[in-house]
Amino acid sequence: MTQQIHELIDKRWSPRAFSNQSIDEEKIEKLFQAASYAASCFNEQPWRFVYATKDYPERYDQLFSCLGEFNQMWVKTAPMIILTVVSKKFGRNQNPNDHARHDLGLAIGNMSLQALSMDLYMHQMAGFSTEKAREVFDIPEDFEPVTMIAVGYLGDPDQLPDSMKEMESPTRDRKNLAQLLFDGDWEKMR
Ligand SMILES: Cc1cc2nc3c(=O)[nH]c(=O)nc-3n(C[C@H](O)[C@H](O)[C@H](O)COP(=O)(O)O)c2cc1C
């Protein structure tokens, strides 16, 4: 039996069709504030963000230019793009922070749920060039670009190419819990 989970977690999915409705500044601030409330190893808060809305076309285009070809086909409808970056070392002793990407994930989890509470949706992406991002934004060695995210309100799937239209659905394809929870047999967990 599938248990009922929190409605915001249940509601979350990653759309590709966004409406052209812009996002209020105040809501954008709430997204980043929610991210900043995440737990992190030694409270390092290693997450950093480069973002732009279409109101700032120069930066929006810079971000857009870092995306791979597939993602560029649909992200163009999104009113806001974020590049996520982590600081790789602990500020207090310059030791490597092996949990920086973990902590960024927590921050993005917070952000996704805050977004949904305001009817905004996020679509995270690995399909972008980290080298290009480094070059375009002059990112120093001790910072690492991790993902990009399209953010916006749900749009009309008919604006997507046919192949993507079929994928545009909140249906969840998930492993069942028996595959995730250890009961002595790692083979069942592959
Ligand atoms: C780190 C990460 C990278 C992803 N990269 C891409 C991507 O480059 N392009 C894309 O269309 N979707 C990408 N996705 C979206 C996933 O395919 C999607 O989250 C997954 O299929 C589960 O669907 P759901 O988010 O709708 O539940 C990525 C998601 C994550 C978390």
Side-chain angles (χ1 to χ4, degrees):
M1 194 183 83
T2 308
Q3 298 292 336
Q4 184 121 26
I5 56 170
H6 193 284
E7 62 178 311
L8 287 184
I9 299 173
D10 193 37
K11 190 178 161 191
R12 192 209 60 78
W13 65 289
S14 305
R16 292 192 177 85
F18 292 96
S19 86
N20 58 11
Q21 186 182 344
S22 61
I23 309 171
D24 294 345
E25 282 295 330
E26 172 212 333
K27 289 187 175 148
I28 292 174
E29 203 176 317
K30 284 185 184 183
L31 293 179
F32 292 116
Q33 180 111 31
S36 77
Y37 273 38
S40 63
C41 187
F42 285 109
N43 197 22
E44 176 64 23
Q45 306 164 59
W47 43 75
R48 304 287 185 271
F49 306 101
V50 181
Y51 83 95
T53 64
K54 284 189 173 167
D55 294 334
Y56 298 90
E58 196 179 323
R59 177 152 288 182
Y60 186 96
D61 290 349
Q62 283 179 316
L63 286 161
F64 188 83
S65 75
C66 298
L67 291 168
E69 213 175 303
F70 173 84
N71 288 329
Q72 284 192 343
M73 284 199 281
W74 59 268
V75 174
K76 59 184 172 213
T77 68
M80 175 174 169
I81 304 177
I82 306 172
L83 167 69
T84 74
V85 176
V86 287
S87 168
K88 296 197 289 184
K89 293 179 182 167
F90 285 107
R92 55 206 190 105
N93 57 15
Q94 294 301 296
N95 285 341
N97 180 357
D98 292 338
H99 293 88
R101 290 163 70 104
H102 170 276
D103 296 347
L104 171 68
L106 293 179
I108 299 304
N110 276 8
M111 193 191 280
S112 316
L113 299 185
Q114 178 64 42
L116 282 164
S117 75
M118 303 184 296
D119 287 327
L120 284 164
Y121 285 76
M122 301 185 4
H123 196 132
Q124 301 170 65
M125 294 166 281
F128 75 102
S129 166
T130 53
E131 294 80 18
K132 180 95 191 254
R134 261 193 202 289
E135 188 188 305
V136 171
F137 297 108
D138 202 14
I139 301 174
E141 247 328 288
D142 52 334
F143 289 91
E144 182 188 6
V146 180
T147 54
M148 294 188 72
I149 309 174
V151 190
Y153 296 95
L154 285 184
D156 181 358
D158 279 343
Q159 70 197 345
L160 294 170
D162 285 344
S163 58
M164 291 187 197
K165 231 180 277 180
E166 290 157 19
M167 295 190 278
E168 193 71 351
S169 148
T171 315
R172 285 352 210 340
D173 172 19
R174 290 298 187 263
K175 293 182 170 60
N176 60 49
L177 292 188
Q179 241 182 312
L180 307 183
L181 304 176
F182 182 64
D183 72 350
D185 182 2
W186 282 103
E187 285 311 309
K188 282 203 283 188
M189 302 178 85
R190 286 192 193 286

